[in-house]
């Protein structure tokens, strides 16, 4: 059972555009929501993470928006670049140190 | 920042042999290590969770006698794939909890021929 549902499965964005990836969860015990970027043949790398006590967090071109009542969170990549082309995973865990539950991933392609 | 060194990055082995994958936390103590398996273009599937000095907890459907996990110290965890078969070919990734966050290794591509 997929505890974190991610969409879209794939996304094509022009250079300079905004990439938006959405995730939804059901388990209200989740309190840590990270986003990971993965390039082919590499392990996931943490991009940005949020806890439910804030509704938005921004780091550079990456922003997480969090809607606790709707149990949804999203990643916005501003000014998308070809180098951002990768697979992005959202995840959630009930507490620090517990296993992360991953979404199915979104393959992002940023065209020149 | 926190670094997890995973080796080897690629390994090819013959069917029936065993392969050991190592993950070392270089600058922090990994109190918990998670081992994942990833199929092409798929998400990460949790195989097992291990705490230093304790037996690993395996997810449903994961054969503990085939995938041996050792977490003998706070900086080293190993996954041994025993009597490997072609269907064990996959991308294996470790993730360490410690130092305030989760840190992933760079993955091991296992090919069983």
């Amino acid at each position: 059972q997929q505890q974190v549902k991610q969409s879209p499965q794939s996304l094509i964005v022009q250079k300079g555009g905004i990439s938006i990836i959405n995730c939804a969860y059901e388990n209200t015990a989740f309190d840590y929501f990270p986003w990971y970027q993965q390039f082919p043949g590499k392990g996931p790398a943490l991009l940005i993470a949020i806890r439910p006590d804030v509704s938005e967090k921004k780091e550079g071109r990456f922003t997480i928006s969090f809607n606790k009542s709707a149990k949804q969170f999203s990643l916005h990549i501003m000014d998308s670049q070809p180098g951002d082309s990768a697979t992005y995973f959202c995840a959630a865990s009930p507490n620090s140190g517990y296993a992360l539950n991953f979404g199915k991933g979104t393959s992002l392609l940023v065209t020149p | 920042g926190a670094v997890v060194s995973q080796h080897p990055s690629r390994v090819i082995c013959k069917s029936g042999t065993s392969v050991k994958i190592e993950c070392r936390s270089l600058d922090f103590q990994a109190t918990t290590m998670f081992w994942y398996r990833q199929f092409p273009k798929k998400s990460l599937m949790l195989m097992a969770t291990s705490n230093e000095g304790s037996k690993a907890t395996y997810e449903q459907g994961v054969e503990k006698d085939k995938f041996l996990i050792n977490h003998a110290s706070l900086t080293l965890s190993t996954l041994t794939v025993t009597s490997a078969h072609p269907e064990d070919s996959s991308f294996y990734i470790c993730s360490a909890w410690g130092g305030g966050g989760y840190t992933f290794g760079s993955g091991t591509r296992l090919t069983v021929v």
Side-chain angles (χ1 to χ4, degrees), chain A residues 32 36 38 41-44 89 93 95-100 102-104, chain B residues 32 34 36 38 42-44 46 49 91 93 97 102 104-107 109:
Chain A
Y32 176 68
Y36 288 88
Q38 185 180 31
K42 303 294 184 183
F89 292 97
S93 76
N95 207 342
S96 300
Y98 282 71
L100 291 167
F102 282 89
K104 289 191 173 183
Chain B
T32 305
F34 306 96
Y36 294 88
Q38 187 176 33
K42 297 294 184 183
S43 188
L44 286 77
L46 181 67
T49 301
F91 192 56
I93 309 171
W97 166 258
Y102 301 87
F104 284 80
S106 55
R109 170 74 59 196

Side-chain angles (χ1 to χ4, degrees), chain B residues 14-58:
Chain B
K14 291 185 177 180
S15 187
T17 62
S18 296
V19 173
K20 181 183 285 188
I21 300 169
E22 284 192 357
C23 277
R24 293 180 183 272
S25 55
L26 299 185
D27 47 5
F28 68 100
Q29 293 185 328
T31 53
T32 305
M33 191 70 80
F34 306 96
W35 286 92
Y36 294 88
R37 183 173 180 176
Q38 187 176 33
F39 292 102
K41 299 189 184 300
K42 297 294 184 183
S43 188
L44 286 77
M45 182 185 76
L46 181 67
M47 298 174 66
T49 301
S50 72
N51 294 297
E52 183 262 340
S54 303
K55 287 185 177 180
T57 301
Y58 291 81

Side-chain angles (χ1 to χ4, degrees), chain A residues 39-106:
Chain A
F39 292 103
K42 303 294 184 183
L46 178 66
L47 269 179
I48 187 172
I50 199 168
R51 293 198 182 270
D53 52 345
V54 296
S55 59
E56 186 174 283
K57 183 175 181 180
K58 183 176 180 179
E59 288 185 3
R61 296 186 293 111
F62 301 96
T63 299
I64 296 181
S65 296
F66 187 83
N67 186 328
K68 188 175 180 178
S69 61
K71 291 184 282 187
Q72 296 175 347
F73 58 110
S74 61
L75 174 70
H76 290 62
I77 305 174
M78 313 299 287
D79 188 26
S80 299
Q81 299 296 312
D84 297 329
S85 298
T87 300
Y88 293 80
F89 292 97
C90 62
S93 76
N95 207 342
S96 300
Y98 282 71
L100 291 167
N101 294 271
F102 282 89
K104 289 191 173 183
T106 296

Side-chain angles (χ1 to χ4, degrees), chain B residues 50-69:
Chain B
S50 72
N51 294 297
E52 183 262 340
S54 303
K55 287 185 177 180
T57 301
Y58 291 81
E59 295 299 300
Q60 191 173 5
V62 178
E63 298 176 62
K64 62 181 180 181
D65 293 331
K66 167 169 271 298
F67 299 100
L68 301 179
I69 291 171

